[in-house]
Amino acid sequence: MVSEKIKDILTKLLIVIFLFFIGYYFLMGSSTQTPEEFDKEFIEKFDACVERAKNRCDEGISETACTDYAMNRCETFLGTKENPIIK
């Protein structure tokens, strides 16, 4: 009688511990970002994209036209800060 109660308690304890670790694994393993982290990462990626696109401009093109070309190119791939393209 007593051993059955102990067995039930240990079984329930093991189940709770198992579920806790499964929940912990899924919660801590997810790569979620806060909006501020997402915005910061987006700006870094967008700025890097613009710099790479500026390097592809022809020599005869003006600085303004080159910047516009780079911004349009990056907005095509990444979107804008207000409306990002999420992959």
Side-chain angles (χ1 to χ4, degrees):
M1 177 102 178
V2 173
S3 68
E4 288 296 321
K5 284 185 178 183
I6 292 173
K7 193 186 259 186
D8 284 344
I9 290 171
L10 286 176
T11 304
K12 289 178 183 178
L13 181 64
L14 286 174
I15 290 171
V16 167
I17 290 171
F18 176 75
L19 291 175
F20 171 78
F21 281 112
I22 293 294
Y24 180 81
Y25 174 77
F26 282 112
L27 288 175
M28 298 310 281
S30 65
S31 60
T32 58
Q33 294 178 322
T34 63
E36 293 82 18
E37 291 171 334
F38 180 81
D39 288 345
K40 181 181 176 190
E41 183 180 342
F42 179 82
I43 290 169
E44 289 172 0
K45 285 182 181 179
F46 191 82
D47 290 345
C49 177
V50 169
E51 288 303 314
R52 285 191 306 272
K54 281 183 180 181
N55 291 334
R56 295 176 182 244
C57 289
D58 295 329
E59 289 183 19
I61 195 169
S62 70
E63 183 70 27
T64 306
C66 182
T67 302
D68 289 342
Y69 163 77
M71 296 285 279
N72 288 335
R73 181 175 173 85
C74 293
E75 285 177 359
T76 300
F77 293 111
L78 299 174
T80 62
K81 185 177 177 187
E82 292 78 26
N83 191 16
I85 297 173
I86 299 174
K87 297 178 184 176

Coordinates of all heavy atoms in Angstrom, one line a residue:
M1 N 0.8 -1.2 0.0 CA 0.0 0.0 0.0 C 0.9 1.3 0.0 O 0.7 2.1 -0.8 CB -0.9 0.0 1.2 CG -1.8 1.1 1.4 SD -3.4 0.7 0.8 CE -4.2 2.2 1.1
V2 N 1.8 1.3 0.9 CA 2.7 2.5 1.0 C 3.6 2.6 -0.2 O 3.8 3.6 -0.8 CB 3.5 2.4 2.3 CG1 4.5 3.5 2.3 CG2 2.6 2.5 3.5
S3 N 4.1 1.4 -0.7 CA 5.0 1.4 -1.8 C 4.3 1.9 -3.1 O 4.9 2.4 -4.0 CB 5.6 0.0 -2.0 OG 4.7 -0.9 -2.4
E4 N 3.0 1.6 -3.2 CA 2.2 2.0 -4.4 C 2.0 3.5 -4.4 O 2.1 4.2 -5.4 CB 0.8 1.4 -4.4 CG 0.8 -0.1 -4.7 CD 1.2 -0.3 -6.1 OE1 0.9 0.5 -7.0 OE2 2.0 -1.3 -6.4
K5 N 1.8 4.1 -3.2 CA 1.7 5.6 -3.1 C 3.1 6.2 -3.5 O 3.1 7.2 -4.2 CB 1.3 6.0 -1.7 CG -0.1 5.8 -1.4 CD -0.5 6.3 0.0 CE -2.0 6.2 0.2 NZ -2.4 6.8 1.5
I6 N 4.1 5.7 -3.0 CA 5.5 6.2 -3.3 C 5.7 6.1 -4.8 O 6.3 7.0 -5.4 CB 6.5 5.5 -2.5 CG1 6.4 5.9 -1.0 CG2 7.9 5.8 -2.9 CD1 7.3 5.1 0.0
K7 N 5.4 4.9 -5.4 CA 5.6 4.7 -6.8 C 4.8 5.7 -7.6 O 5.3 6.3 -8.6 CB 5.1 3.3 -7.1 CG 5.6 2.8 -8.5 CD 5.0 1.5 -8.9 CE 6.0 0.4 -8.7 NZ 5.5 -0.9 -9.1
D8 N 3.5 6.0 -7.2 CA 2.7 7.0 -7.9 C 3.3 8.4 -7.8 O 3.3 9.1 -8.7 CB 1.3 7.0 -7.3 CG 0.4 5.8 -7.8 OD1 0.8 5.2 -8.8 OD2 -0.6 5.6 -7.2
I9 N 3.7 8.7 -6.6 CA 4.3 10.1 -6.4 C 5.6 10.2 -7.2 O 5.8 11.2 -7.9 CB 4.6 10.3 -4.9 CG1 3.3 10.4 -4.1 CG2 5.5 11.5 -4.7 CD1 3.5 10.5 -2.6
L10 N 6.5 9.2 -7.2 CA 7.7 9.3 -8.0 C 7.4 9.3 -9.5 O 8.0 10.1 -10.3 CB 8.6 8.1 -7.7 CG 9.3 8.1 -6.4 CD1 10.1 6.8 -6.2 CD2 10.2 9.3 -6.3
T11 N 6.4 8.6 -10.0 CA 6.0 8.7 -11.4 C 5.5 10.0 -11.8 O 5.9 10.6 -12.8 CB 4.9 7.6 -11.7 OG1 5.3 6.3 -11.3 CG2 4.5 7.6 -13.1
K12 N 4.6 10.6 -10.9 CA 4.1 12.0 -11.2 C 5.3 13.0 -11.1 O 5.3 13.9 -12.0 CB 3.0 12.3 -10.2 CG 1.7 11.6 -10.4 CD 0.7 11.9 -9.4 CE -0.6 11.0 -9.7 NZ -1.6 11.3 -8.7
L13 N 6.2 12.8 -10.2 CA 7.3 13.8 -10.1 C 8.2 13.7 -11.4 O 8.6 14.7 -11.9 CB 8.1 13.4 -8.9 CG 9.3 14.3 -8.6 CD1 8.9 15.8 -8.3 CD2 10.2 13.8 -7.4
L14 N 8.4 12.5 -11.8 CA 9.2 12.3 -13.1 C 8.5 12.9 -14.3 O 9.2 13.5 -15.1 CB 9.6 10.8 -13.3 CG 10.6 10.2 -12.4 CD1 10.7 8.7 -12.6 CD2 11.9 10.9 -12.6
I15 N 7.2 12.8 -14.3 CA 6.5 13.4 -15.4 C 6.6 14.9 -15.4 O 6.8 15.5 -16.4 CB 5.0 12.9 -15.4 CG1 4.9 11.4 -15.8 CG2 4.1 13.7 -16.3 CD1 3.6 10.8 -15.6
V16 N 6.4 15.5 -14.2 CA 6.5 16.9 -14.1 C 7.9 17.4 -14.4 O 8.0 18.4 -15.2 CB 6.1 17.3 -12.6 CG1 6.5 18.8 -12.4 CG2 4.6 17.1 -12.4
I17 N 8.9 16.7 -14.0 CA 10.3 17.1 -14.3 C 10.5 17.0 -15.8 O 11.1 17.9 -16.4 CB 11.3 16.3 -13.5 CG1 11.3 16.6 -12.1 CG2 12.7 16.4 -14.1 CD1 12.1 15.7 -11.2
F18 N 10.1 15.9 -16.4 CA 10.2 15.8 -17.9 C 9.5 16.9 -18.6 O 10.1 17.5 -19.6 CB 9.6 14.4 -18.3 CG 9.6 14.2 -19.8 CD1 10.8 13.9 -20.4 CD2 8.5 14.3 -20.5 CE1 10.8 13.7 -21.8 CE2 8.5 14.1 -21.9 CZ 9.7 13.8 -22.5
L19 N 8.3 17.2 -18.3 CA 7.5 18.3 -18.9 C 8.2 19.6 -18.7 O 8.2 20.5 -19.6 CB 6.1 18.3 -18.4 CG 5.2 17.1 -18.9 CD1 3.8 17.2 -18.2 CD2 5.1 17.0 -20.4
F20 N 8.7 19.9 -17.5 CA 9.4 21.1 -17.3 C 10.6 21.3 -18.2 O 10.8 22.3 -18.8 CB 9.9 21.2 -15.8 CG 10.8 22.3 -15.5 CD1 10.3 23.6 -15.3 CD2 12.2 22.2 -15.5 CE1 11.1 24.7 -15.1 CE2 13.0 23.2 -15.2 CZ 12.4 24.5 -15.0
F21 N 11.4 20.2 -18.3 CA 12.6 20.3 -19.2 C 12.2 20.4 -20.7 O 12.9 21.1 -21.4 CB 13.5 19.2 -19.0 CG 14.4 19.4 -17.7 CD1 14.2 18.5 -16.6 CD2 15.3 20.4 -17.7 CE1 15.0 18.7 -15.5 CE2 16.1 20.6 -16.5 CZ 15.9 19.7 -15.5
I22 N 11.2 19.8 -21.1 CA 10.7 19.9 -22.5 C 10.2 21.4 -22.7 O 10.6 22.0 -23.7 CB 9.6 18.9 -22.8 CG1 10.1 17.5 -22.8 CG2 8.9 19.2 -24.1 CD1 11.1 17.2 -23.9
G23 N 9.5 21.9 -21.8 CA 9.0 23.3 -21.9 C 10.2 24.3 -21.9 O 10.2 25.2 -22.7
Y24 N 11.1 24.1 -21.0 CA 12.3 24.9 -21.0 C 13.1 24.9 -22.3 O 13.5 25.9 -22.8 CB 13.2 24.5 -19.8 CG 14.4 25.3 -19.6 CD1 14.4 26.5 -18.9 CD2 15.6 24.8 -20.1 CE1 15.5 27.3 -18.7 CE2 16.8 25.6 -19.9 CZ 16.7 26.8 -19.2 OH 17.8 27.6 -19.1
Y25 N 13.3 23.7 -22.8 CA 14.0 23.5 -24.1 C 13.4 24.3 -25.2 O 14.0 25.0 -25.9 CB 14.1 22.0 -24.4 CG 14.7 21.8 -25.8 CD1 16.1 21.9 -26.0 CD2 13.9 21.5 -26.9 CE1 16.6 21.6 -27.2 CE2 14.5 21.3 -28.1 CZ 15.8 21.3 -28.3 OH 16.4 21.1 -29.5
F26 N 12.0 24.2 -25.3 CA 11.4 24.9 -26.4 C 11.3 26.4 -26.2 O 11.5 27.2 -27.1 CB 9.9 24.4 -26.6 CG 9.9 23.1 -27.3 CD1 9.5 21.9 -26.7 CD2 10.3 23.0 -28.7 CE1 9.5 20.7 -27.4 CE2 10.3 21.8 -29.4 CZ 9.9 20.7 -28.7
L27 N 11.2 26.9 -25.0 CA 11.1 28.3 -24.7 C 12.5 28.9 -24.9 O 12.6 30.0 -25.4 CB 10.6 28.6 -23.3 CG 9.1 28.3 -23.1 CD1 8.7 28.5 -21.7 CD2 8.3 29.2 -24.0
M28 N 13.5 28.3 -24.4 CA 14.9 28.9 -24.4 C 15.5 28.6 -25.8 O 16.4 29.3 -26.2 CB 15.7 28.3 -23.3 CG 15.2 28.6 -21.9 SD 14.9 30.4 -21.7 CE 16.5 31.0 -21.4
G29 N 15.0 27.7 -26.5 CA 15.6 27.3 -27.8 C 15.1 28.2 -28.9 O 15.6 28.2 -30.0
S30 N 14.0 28.9 -28.7 CA 13.4 29.7 -29.7 C 14.3 31.0 -29.9 O 14.8 31.5 -29.0 CB 12.0 30.1 -29.4 OG 11.9 30.9 -28.3
S31 N 14.3 31.4 -31.2 CA 15.2 32.6 -31.5 C 14.3 33.8 -31.7 O 14.3 34.4 -32.8 CB 16.0 32.3 -32.7 OG 15.2 32.0 -33.8
T32 N 13.5 34.1 -30.7 CA 12.6 35.3 -30.8 C 13.4 36.6 -30.6 O 14.5 36.6 -29.9 CB 11.5 35.2 -29.8 OG1 12.0 35.1 -28.5 CG2 10.6 34.0 -30.1
Q33 N 13.0 37.7 -31.1 CA 13.6 39.0 -31.0 C 12.6 40.0 -30.5 O 11.4 39.9 -30.9 CB 14.2 39.5 -32.3 CG 15.3 38.6 -32.9 CD 15.8 39.2 -34.2 OE1 15.0 39.6 -35.0 NE2 17.1 39.2 -34.4
T34 N 13.1 40.9 -29.8 CA 12.2 42.0 -29.4 C 12.1 43.0 -30.6 O 12.9 42.9 -31.5 CB 12.8 42.8 -28.2 OG1 14.0 43.4 -28.6 CG2 12.9 41.9 -27.0
P35 N 11.1 43.8 -30.7 CA 11.0 44.7 -31.8 C 12.2 45.6 -31.9 O 12.7 45.9 -33.1 CB 9.7 45.6 -31.5 CG 8.9 44.7 -30.6 CD 9.9 43.9 -29.8
E36 N 12.8 46.0 -30.8 CA 14.0 46.9 -30.9 C 15.2 46.1 -31.5 O 15.9 46.7 -32.3 CB 14.4 47.4 -29.5 CG 13.4 48.4 -28.9 CD 12.2 47.7 -28.2 OE1 12.3 46.4 -28.0 OE2 11.2 48.3 -28.0
E37 N 15.3 44.8 -31.1 CA 16.4 44.0 -31.7 C 16.2 43.8 -33.2 O 17.1 43.9 -34.0 CB 16.5 42.7 -31.0 CG 17.0 42.7 -29.6 CD 16.8 41.4 -28.8 OE1 16.0 40.6 -29.2 OE2 17.6 41.2 -27.9
F38 N 14.9 43.6 -33.6 CA 14.6 43.4 -35.0 C 14.9 44.6 -35.8 O 15.5 44.6 -36.9 CB 13.2 43.0 -35.2 CG 12.8 42.8 -36.6 CD1 13.1 41.6 -37.2 CD2 12.1 43.8 -37.3 CE1 12.7 41.4 -38.6 CE2 11.8 43.6 -38.6 CZ 12.1 42.4 -39.3
D39 N 14.5 45.8 -35.3 CA 14.8 47.1 -36.0 C 16.3 47.3 -36.1 O 16.7 47.7 -37.2 CB 14.1 48.2 -35.2 CG 12.6 48.2 -35.3 OD1 12.1 47.5 -36.2 OD2 12.0 48.9 -34.5
K40 N 17.0 47.0 -35.0 CA 18.5 47.3 -35.1 C 19.1 46.3 -36.1 O 19.9 46.8 -36.9 CB 19.1 47.0 -33.7 CG 20.6 47.2 -33.7 CD 21.1 47.0 -32.3 CE 22.6 47.1 -32.3 NZ 23.2 46.6 -31.1
E41 N 18.7 45.1 -36.1 CA 19.3 44.1 -37.1 C 18.9 44.5 -38.5 O 19.7 44.4 -39.4 CB 18.8 42.7 -36.8 CG 19.4 41.7 -37.7 CD 18.9 40.3 -37.3 OE1 18.4 40.0 -36.2 OE2 19.1 39.4 -38.2
F42 N 17.6 44.9 -38.7 CA 17.2 45.3 -40.0 C 18.0 46.5 -40.5 O 18.4 46.5 -41.7 CB 15.7 45.7 -40.0 CG 15.2 46.1 -41.4 CD1 14.9 45.1 -42.3 CD2 15.1 47.4 -41.7 CE1 14.4 45.5 -43.6 CE2 14.6 47.8 -43.0 CZ 14.3 46.9 -43.9
I43 N 18.2 47.5 -39.7 CA 18.9 48.7 -40.1 C 20.4 48.3 -40.5 O 20.9 48.8 -41.5 CB 18.9 49.8 -39.0 CG1 17.5 50.3 -38.9 CG2 19.9 50.9 -39.3 CD1 17.2 51.2 -37.7
E44 N 21.0 47.5 -39.7 CA 22.4 47.0 -40.0 C 22.4 46.3 -41.3 O 23.3 46.6 -42.2 CB 22.9 46.1 -38.9 CG 23.2 46.8 -37.6 CD 23.5 45.9 -36.5 OE1 23.5 44.6 -36.7 OE2 23.8 46.3 -35.3
K45 N 21.5 45.4 -41.6 CA 21.4 44.7 -42.9 C 21.2 45.6 -44.0 O 21.8 45.5 -45.1 CB 20.4 43.6 -42.8 CG 20.7 42.4 -42.0 CD 19.6 41.3 -42.1 CE 20.0 40.1 -41.3 NZ 18.9 39.1 -41.4
F46 N 20.2 46.6 -43.8 CA 19.9 47.5 -44.9 C 21.1 48.4 -45.2 O 21.4 48.6 -46.4 CB 18.7 48.3 -44.5 CG 18.1 49.1 -45.6 CD1 17.2 48.5 -46.5 CD2 18.4 50.4 -45.8 CE1 16.6 49.2 -47.5 CE2 17.8 51.2 -46.8 CZ 17.0 50.5 -47.7
D47 N 21.7 48.9 -44.2 CA 22.9 49.8 -44.4 C 24.0 49.0 -45.1 O 24.7 49.6 -46.0 CB 23.4 50.4 -43.1 CG 22.4 51.4 -42.5 OD1 21.5 51.9 -43.3 OD2 22.6 51.7 -41.3
A48 N 24.2 47.8 -44.7 CA 25.3 47.0 -45.4 C 24.9 46.7 -46.9 O 25.8 46.8 -47.7 CB 25.5 45.7 -44.7
C49 N 23.6 46.5 -47.1 CA 23.2 46.3 -48.5 C 23.4 47.5 -49.3 O 23.8 47.4 -50.5 CB 21.7 45.9 -48.5 SG 20.9 45.6 -50.1
V50 N 23.1 48.7 -48.8 CA 23.2 49.9 -49.5 C 24.7 50.2 -49.8 O 25.0 50.5 -51.0 CB 22.6 51.1 -48.7 CG1 23.0 52.5 -49.3 CG2 21.1 51.0 -48.6
E51 N 25.6 49.9 -48.9 CA 27.0 50.1 -49.2 C 27.5 49.1 -50.3 O 28.3 49.5 -51.1 CB 27.8 49.9 -47.9 CG 27.7 51.0 -46.9 CD 28.0 52.4 -47.5 OE1 29.1 52.5 -48.1 OE2 27.2 53.3 -47.2
R52 N 27.0 47.9 -50.2 CA 27.4 46.9 -51.3 C 26.9 47.4 -52.6 O 27.6 47.3 -53.7 CB 26.9 45.5 -50.9 CG 27.7 44.8 -49.9 CD 27.4 43.4 -49.8 NE 25.9 43.1 -49.6 CZ 25.3 43.0 -48.5 NH1 26.0 43.2 -47.3 NH2 24.0 42.8 -48.4
A53 N 25.6 47.9 -52.6 CA 25.0 48.3 -53.9 C 25.7 49.5 -54.4 O 25.8 49.7 -55.7 CB 23.5 48.5 -53.7
K54 N 26.2 50.4 -53.6 CA 26.9 51.6 -54.0 C 28.2 51.3 -54.7 O 28.6 52.0 -55.6 CB 27.2 52.6 -52.8 CG 26.0 53.4 -52.4 CD 26.4 54.3 -51.3 CE 25.3 55.2 -50.8 NZ 25.7 56.1 -49.7
N55 N 28.8 50.2 -54.3 CA 30.0 49.7 -54.9 C 29.8 49.3 -56.4 O 30.8 49.2 -57.1 CB 30.7 48.6 -54.1 CG 31.2 49.1 -52.8 OD1 31.5 50.3 -52.6 ND2 31.3 48.3 -51.8
R56 N 28.6 49.0 -56.7 CA 28.3 48.5 -58.1 C 27.9 49.6 -59.0 O 27.7 49.4 -60.2 CB 27.1 47.5 -58.0 CG 27.5 46.2 -57.3 CD 26.3 45.3 -57.2 NE 26.7 44.1 -56.4 CZ 26.7 42.9 -56.9 NH1 26.4 42.7 -58.2 NH2 27.1 41.9 -56.2
C57 N 27.9 50.8 -58.5 CA 27.5 52.0 -59.4 C 28.6 52.2 -60.4 O 29.8 52.1 -60.1 CB 27.3 53.2 -58.6 SG 25.8 53.2 -57.6
D58 N 28.2 52.7 -61.6 CA 29.2 53.1 -62.6 C 29.9 54.3 -62.2 O 29.4 55.1 -61.4 CB 28.4 53.3 -64.0 CG 27.8 52.0 -64.5 OD1 28.4 50.9 -64.2 OD2 26.8 52.1 -65.2
E59 N 31.0 54.6 -62.8 CA 31.8 55.8 -62.4 C 31.1 57.1 -62.9 O 31.3 58.1 -62.3 CB 33.2 55.7 -63.0 CG 34.1 54.6 -62.3 CD 35.5 54.6 -62.9 OE1 35.9 55.6 -63.5 OE2 36.1 53.6 -62.6
G60 N 30.4 57.0 -64.0 CA 29.8 58.2 -64.6 C 28.5 58.6 -63.9 O 27.9 59.7 -64.2
I61 N 28.0 57.9 -62.9 CA 26.7 58.2 -62.3 C 27.0 59.1 -61.1 O 28.0 59.1 -60.4 CB 26.0 56.9 -61.9 CG1 24.6 57.1 -61.5 CG2 26.8 56.2 -60.7 CD1 23.8 55.8 -61.4
S62 N 26.0 60.0 -60.9 CA 26.1 61.0 -59.7 C 25.9 60.3 -58.4 O 25.4 59.2 -58.3 CB 25.1 62.1 -59.9 OG 23.8 61.6 -59.6
E63 N 26.4 60.9 -57.3 CA 26.3 60.3 -56.0 C 24.8 60.1 -55.6 O 24.4 59.1 -55.0 CB 27.0 61.2 -55.0 CG 27.0 60.7 -53.6 CD 27.9 59.5 -53.4 OE1 28.8 59.4 -54.1 OE2 27.6 58.7 -52.5
T64 N 23.9 61.1 -55.9 CA 22.5 61.0 -55.6 C 21.8 59.9 -56.4 O 21.1 59.1 -55.8 CB 21.8 62.3 -56.0 OG1 22.5 63.4 -55.3 CG2 20.4 62.3 -55.5
A65 N 22.2 59.8 -57.7 CA 21.6 58.7 -58.5 C 22.1 57.3 -58.0 O 21.3 56.4 -57.9 CB 21.9 58.9 -59.9
C66 N 23.3 57.3 -57.6 CA 23.9 56.0 -57.0 C 23.2 55.6 -55.7 O 22.8 54.4 -55.5 CB 25.4 56.1 -56.8 SG 26.2 54.6 -56.3
T67 N 23.0 56.6 -54.9 CA 22.3 56.3 -53.6 C 20.9 55.9 -53.8 O 20.4 54.9 -53.2 CB 22.3 57.6 -52.7 OG1 23.7 58.0 -52.5 CG2 21.7 57.3 -51.3
D68 N 20.2 56.5 -54.7 CA 18.8 56.1 -55.1 C 18.7 54.7 -55.6 O 17.9 53.9 -55.3 CB 18.2 57.1 -56.1 CG 17.9 58.5 -55.5 OD1 17.8 58.6 -54.2 OD2 17.7 59.4 -56.2
Y69 N 19.7 54.4 -56.5 CA 19.8 53.1 -57.1 C 20.0 52.0 -56.0 O 19.3 51.0 -55.9 CB 20.9 53.0 -58.1 CG 21.4 51.6 -58.4 CD1 20.6 50.8 -59.3 CD2 22.5 51.0 -57.9 CE1 21.0 49.5 -59.6 CE2 22.9 49.8 -58.2 CZ 22.2 49.0 -59.0 OH 22.6 47.7 -59.3
A70 N 20.9 52.3 -55.1 CA 21.2 51.4 -54.0 C 20.0 51.2 -53.0 O 19.7 50.1 -52.6 CB 22.4 51.9 -53.2
M71 N 19.3 52.3 -52.7 CA 18.2 52.2 -51.8 C 17.1 51.4 -52.5 O 16.4 50.6 -51.8 CB 17.6 53.6 -51.5 CG 18.6 54.5 -50.7 SD 18.7 54.1 -49.0 CE 17.3 54.9 -48.4
N72 N 16.8 51.7 -53.8 CA 15.7 50.9 -54.5 C 16.1 49.4 -54.5 O 15.2 48.6 -54.4 CB 15.5 51.5 -55.9 CG 14.8 52.8 -55.8 OD1 14.1 53.1 -54.9 ND2 15.0 53.6 -56.9
R73 N 17.3 49.1 -54.8 CA 17.8 47.7 -54.9 C 17.6 47.0 -53.6 O 17.1 45.9 -53.5 CB 19.2 47.7 -55.3 CG 19.8 46.3 -55.5 CD 21.2 46.4 -56.0 NE 21.9 45.1 -56.1 CZ 21.7 44.2 -57.0 NH1 21.0 44.5 -58.1 NH2 22.4 43.1 -57.0
C74 N 18.0 47.7 -52.5 CA 17.9 47.0 -51.2 C 16.4 46.9 -50.7 O 16.0 46.0 -50.0 CB 18.7 47.8 -50.1 SG 20.5 47.6 -50.5
E75 N 15.6 47.9 -51.0 CA 14.2 47.8 -50.7 C 13.5 46.7 -51.4 O 12.5 46.1 -50.9 CB 13.5 49.2 -51.0 CG 13.8 50.2 -50.0 CD 13.2 51.6 -50.3 OE1 12.5 51.7 -51.4 OE2 13.4 52.5 -49.5
T76 N 14.0 46.4 -52.6 CA 13.4 45.2 -53.4 C 13.7 43.9 -52.6 O 12.8 43.1 -52.6 CB 14.1 45.2 -54.8 OG1 13.8 46.4 -55.5 CG2 13.5 44.0 -55.6
F77 N 14.9 43.8 -52.0 CA 15.2 42.5 -51.4 C 14.8 42.5 -49.9 O 14.3 41.5 -49.4 CB 16.7 42.3 -51.4 CG 17.2 42.0 -52.8 CD1 18.0 43.0 -53.5 CD2 16.9 40.9 -53.5 CE1 18.5 42.7 -54.8 CE2 17.3 40.6 -54.8 CZ 18.1 41.6 -55.4
L78 N 14.9 43.6 -49.2 CA 14.7 43.6 -47.8 C 13.4 44.3 -47.4 O 12.9 44.1 -46.2 CB 15.8 44.3 -47.0 CG 17.2 43.7 -47.2 CD1 18.3 44.5 -46.6 CD2 17.2 42.3 -46.6
G79 N 12.8 45.1 -48.2 CA 11.7 45.9 -47.9 C 12.1 47.2 -47.2 O 13.3 47.6 -47.2
T80 N 11.2 47.9 -46.5 CA 11.5 49.1 -45.7 C 11.4 48.8 -44.3 O 10.9 47.7 -43.9 CB 10.5 50.2 -46.1 OG1 9.2 49.8 -45.8 CG2 10.6 50.6 -47.6
K81 N 11.8 49.7 -43.4 CA 11.7 49.5 -42.0 C 10.3 49.4 -41.6 O 9.9 48.6 -40.7 CB 12.4 50.7 -41.3 CG 12.4 50.5 -39.8 CD 13.2 51.6 -39.1 CE 13.1 51.4 -37.6 NZ 13.6 52.5 -36.8
E82 N 9.4 50.1 -42.2 CA 8.0 50.1 -41.9 C 7.3 48.8 -42.4 O 6.3 48.3 -41.8 CB 7.2 51.3 -42.4 CG 7.6 52.6 -41.8 CD 9.0 53.2 -42.3 OE1 9.4 52.9 -43.4 OE2 9.6 53.9 -41.5
N83 N 7.8 48.3 -43.5 CA 7.2 47.1 -44.1 C 8.3 46.2 -44.6 O 8.6 46.0 -45.8 CB 6.4 47.5 -45.3 CG 5.5 46.4 -45.8 OD1 5.4 45.4 -45.2 ND2 5.0 46.6 -47.0
P84 N 9.0 45.5 -43.6 CA 10.1 44.6 -44.0 C 9.6 43.3 -44.7 O 8.5 42.9 -44.5 CB 10.8 44.3 -42.7 CG 9.7 44.4 -41.7 CD 8.8 45.5 -42.2
I85 N 10.4 42.8 -45.6 CA 10.1 41.5 -46.2 C 10.8 40.4 -45.3 O 12.0 40.4 -45.1 CB 10.7 41.4 -47.6 CG1 10.1 42.4 -48.5 CG2 10.6 40.0 -48.1 CD1 10.7 42.5 -49.8
I86 N 9.9 39.6 -44.6 CA 10.4 38.7 -43.6 C 10.5 37.3 -44.3 O 9.6 36.8 -45.0 CB 9.4 38.5 -42.5 CG1 9.3 39.9 -41.8 CG2 9.8 37.5 -41.5 CD1 8.3 40.0 -40.7
K87 N 11.7 36.7 -44.2 CA 12.0 35.5 -44.8 C 11.9 34.3 -43.8 O 12.1 34.5 -42.7 CB 13.4 35.5 -45.4 CG 13.5 36.5 -46.5 CD 14.9 36.5 -47.1 CE 15.0 37.7 -48.1 NZ 16.3 37.8 -48.6

